[in-house]
Amino acid sequence: MKAIITDLDRTLLRTDKSVSEYTCTVLKKCHDRGILLMAATARPERAILTYQQQIGFDAVTTLNGARIILAGGVMENGIAPRSAEEILKKVSAIPNVTLSMETGDGIYANVPIPEWNAIVFEGFPALPTESIIYKILLSSEGNTIQPDVEKALTSDTYMTVAEGKLIQIMSTAATKWNGIKAMLESAGVDEREVVYFGDDNDDIEPIKNCGVGVAVSNAIREVLTIADFVTESNDMDGVARYIEKNLL
């Protein structure tokens, strides 16, 4: 294998969001042997800086493929402003919905979200900025809004559900797999020469299409079913244990 690509939350990261010293040591050995290390995550770039410093990824797909950070530059796949406006008109009318929008200027939300450092914006459904729109995020206490959100989608957008509760709306061009293809093309690596690690819905396509697809044991059932191999859980350093046993 010429490259290792991994999801972050609930995959490489432990539940407390840390990366163990053991995992860092194993990944360093990969780098020393010339194996590329890449990440594909729903997180924005600002939320992976600590892990980039610890591990030194060669490329990163962030925001589910809405922003791809390559050695030679950045690629972006944002939601068209007109589509975002159309969606916001419908979803902002859903009762008790928590609405946020990831943009090039930061994240805006209709309520305070301290853990994200969100900027409270009371003007929805108007757009909070003229900057690029990467993602619209929605949730509710009862997790009953998915049918209404599906009706709000435009022809150039799609939605996924993370951890069974957080709905993410993105451009149809912004997928983890499209981001991964861009990273591999930039590095000159064939997808058959890649092992991919994941746990959630957004990881299904990469697990199916990469040379080897590995699920951590805490992955959702759909991922466990299609993976080539299942390793130990994220809290048991499953990614590093698989790598040490099978690639080093």
Side-chain angles (χ1 to χ4, degrees):
M1 292 294 166
K2 293 184 178 180
I4 293 167
I5 306 178
T6 182
D7 174 45
L8 294 182
D9 291 284
R10 288 174 43 86
T11 301
L12 185 71
L13 307 186
R14 290 183 167 183
T15 302
D16 65 3
K17 307 303 182 184
S18 68
V19 181
S20 72
E21 184 177 341
Y22 165 68
T23 291
C24 288
T25 298
V26 169
L27 295 180
K28 184 180 185 304
K29 289 180 181 178
C30 293
H31 252 160
D32 291 344
R33 296 192 182 191
I35 300 174
L36 296 175
L37 298 178
M38 303 176 183
T41 178
R43 288 177 175 237
E45 184 177 358
R46 65 178 179 276
I48 64 167
L49 296 179
T50 297
Y51 310 116
Q52 177 67 338
Q53 290 170 358
Q54 285 179 283
I55 297 165
F57 293 112
D58 296 287
V60 183
T61 290
T62 68
L63 297 164
N64 296 93
R67 181 175 170 84
I68 306 151
I69 305 163
L70 307 170
V74 173
M75 296 176 61
E76 295 184 315
N77 298 306
I79 300 173
R82 182 175 297 179
S83 296
E85 289 176 335
E86 185 177 336
I87 292 167
L88 288 173
K89 286 178 183 177
K90 297 176 181 178
V91 299
S92 61
I94 299 173
N96 302 315
V97 68
T98 297
L99 164 65
S100 58
M101 176 178 285
E102 188 73 54
T103 77
D105 290 334
I107 188 163
Y108 295 84
N110 63 345
V111 295
I113 308 178
E115 61 268 33
W116 291 355
N117 294 318
I119 303 164
V120 176
F121 179 71
E122 298 178 353
F124 291 116
L127 295 179
T129 176
E130 294 184 0
S131 183
I132 187 168
I133 301 160
Y134 294 120
K135 186 188 293 189
I136 297 171
L137 302 156
L138 303 156
S139 63
S140 68
E141 280 194 18
N143 296 329
T144 59
I145 63 173
Q146 186 169 335
D148 291 329
V149 177
E150 287 176 342
K151 293 175 185 176
L153 296 176
T154 56
S155 61
D156 58 347
T157 59
Y158 77 104
M159 61 173 273
T160 66
V161 182
E163 299 183 17
K165 58 185 178 182
L166 181 64
I167 296 174
Q168 306 174 91
I169 300 175
M170 292 151 288
S171 164
T172 51
T175 67
K176 276 193 177 182
W177 180 236
N178 282 345
I180 288 166
K181 287 192 292 184
M183 292 193 301
L184 295 179
E185 182 178 354
S186 176
V189 175
D190 189 279
E191 61 200 48
R192 292 168 295 183
E193 301 170 313
V194 177
V195 58
Y196 183 88
F197 296 90
D199 77 292
D200 211 340
N201 287 303
D202 296 332
D203 301 309
I204 290 175
E205 193 173 13
I207 282 178
K208 283 183 175 179
N209 292 326
C210 286
V212 176
V214 183
V216 283
S217 63
N218 54 286
I220 63 172
R221 179 178 55 82
E222 292 83 356
V223 172
L224 293 170
T225 299
I226 58 94
D228 298 308
F229 300 98
V230 177
T231 186
E232 294 183 60
S233 72
N234 63 320
D235 284 326
M236 294 297 293
D237 300 318
V239 171
R241 293 185 188 281
Y242 180 92
I243 291 170
E244 186 172 49
K245 181 179 179 180
N246 297 281
L247 300 181
L248 295 178

